[in-house]
Amino acid sequence: MGYAVVLGEALIDLLEADLGGEQIYRQAIGGAPLNVAVGVARLGGRVEYAGTLSTDVLGDRIAAFLREAGVGDKSVRRVPVPTTLAVTTFEGAEPAFTFYGEPPSYALLAPDDLDRPSLSGGDVLYTGSICLLREPFRATARAAWAEFDGLRVFDPNVRPKLLPDAAALDALRDLVEEFFAAADLVKLSSADAQLLYGDSDPAAAADRIRALGAKAVVVTCGAQGAHVAAQDGAAMLPAPSVAAIDATGAGDSVMGALVSRLLAEGRPGGLADWQRHVRFALAVAGLVCERQGGATAMPTPAEVTARWGEI
């Protein structure tokens, strides 16, 4: 088994919670790419994280958490700005995010900060999410994407509160479509599809993204499951039934599970392989939804097997 390089943001989530009738905010380490990196590591995959962490105490906690999770840090750079906070509120189990911190501590990785030997030696490269909205990170992601010879996976992870107007949305659409065009896998949610294209139909979104050049597309649809489209067909797969308490990081766990399977088995042969991988990923996400969300909710293979049996 080779390793994955995960390129993107790490930050602190402040998760809305109730304590004895009083509203509080629970601190959790997060950021979609960090969640993906931890998800891969927890599932037994090797992974290197590339990004910037603050030199403050919260940055120290994130760095220690990554080490404890078994995530490599050859392309981590520490920066003297406060750690970005994502204040998270909920409608049911679904989170909404508001971000605080300027400049964002997560988006300061420059192209020269990349560990080129680590990048070139990887088998899977993941990038995406809110870090692409800012420089110098955007230039770094573009450079890594262009240089990488292995499997490329991408998640737009659209956050509406970071898109102030229609022009910002148009610019984001143009940007993510650059990455879609060369991706071996695009994973997005039906909410992402609605924001990008004005249509939450997963099949329509997958067809549009595959037409741009992506080899496979997985569109997650919450409790309804996921639509997967490959070069030889498409299918809708149901999600397992769970008593969800917090969906924070569930989509990231899907990507982490898919990356772990790509590391274990290599490039899928077609739709049948993708269906098998997505069934596993949905089981992982279901388990995550039964826990308090964030990177700490990412499960191990033993926990997945204990909950769902062999998948």
Side-chain angles (χ1 to χ4, degrees):
M1 180 187 291
Y3 64 89
V5 177
V6 171
L7 186 66
E9 74 264 9
L11 44 76
I12 294 292
D13 289 324
L14 296 180
L15 303 168
E16 187 177 59
D18 182 87
L19 180 64
E22 180 181 0
Q23 187 178 83
I24 64 167
Y25 285 90
R26 179 176 63 86
Q27 184 183 123
I29 291 168
L34 179 142
N35 291 341
V36 171
V38 172
V40 173
R42 288 269 175 85
L43 290 168
R46 292 176 56 207
V47 58
E48 289 284 338
Y49 171 70
T52 47
L53 303 179
S54 173
T55 53
D56 66 14
V57 64
L58 296 179
D60 290 343
R61 290 176 185 174
I62 296 171
F65 180 80
L66 287 170
R67 287 193 298 271
E68 290 164 7
V71 176
D73 60 0
K74 292 178 183 176
S75 286
V76 171
R77 184 167 71 87
R78 305 300 294 271
V79 293
V81 300
T83 296
T84 298
L85 304 178
V87 177
T88 309
T89 55
F90 291 89
E91 293 183 9
E94 290 296 325
F97 301 91
T98 303
F99 298 90
Y100 295 89
E102 189 62 36
S105 61
Y106 58 75
L108 301 178
L109 193 76
D112 288 345
D113 295 324
L114 284 172
D115 183 85
R116 255 54 186 202
S118 176
L119 178 66
S120 64
D123 294 279
V124 178
L125 172 65
Y126 160 97
T127 196
S129 199
I130 64 173
C131 47
L132 293 176
L133 296 174
R134 303 294 291 265
E135 294 289 7
F137 187 91
R138 182 163 55 237
T140 305
R142 280 175 164 149
W145 201 250
E147 294 173 18
F148 195 70
D149 290 330
L151 293 169
R152 299 179 182 92
V153 299
F154 184 81
D155 183 351
N157 196 39
V158 182
R159 295 296 182 222
K161 290 186 178 181
L162 295 178
L163 303 171
D165 51 36
L169 178 58
D170 290 344
L172 176 64
R173 186 184 305 109
D174 290 343
L175 174 64
V176 300
E177 287 184 348
E178 287 181 33
F179 289 87
F180 290 169
D184 294 283
L185 168 64
V186 172
K187 196 285 294 180
L188 73 163
S189 69
S190 56
D192 292 336
Q194 177 69 50
L195 285 161
L196 290 170
Y197 299 123
D199 184 351
S200 61
D201 175 49
D207 288 347
R208 181 165 183 164
I209 294 168
R210 286 227 336 106
L212 292 168
K215 293 181 176 62
V217 179
V218 175
V219 185
T220 57
C221 305
Q224 284 70 53
H227 176 87
V228 55
Q231 292 172 304
D232 58 338
M236 183 71 190
L237 302 179
S241 178
V242 300
I245 63 169
D246 185 352
T248 305
D252 306 328
S253 74
V254 168
M255 180 63 95
L258 292 173
V259 170
S260 74
R261 283 295 177 95
L262 293 176
L263 288 174
E265 299 188 18
R267 187 182 299 275
L271 180 62
D273 286 343
W274 280 115
Q275 287 179 287
R276 183 164 48 84
H277 295 339
V278 171
R279 288 190 186 97
F280 173 70
L282 290 173
V284 169
L287 183 52
V288 167
C289 288
E290 293 181 331
R291 304 174 171 188
Q292 288 189 316
T296 57
M298 301 297 162
T300 65
E303 290 171 331
V304 176
T305 301
R307 180 66 175 88
W308 305 114
E310 294 294 336
I311 303 173

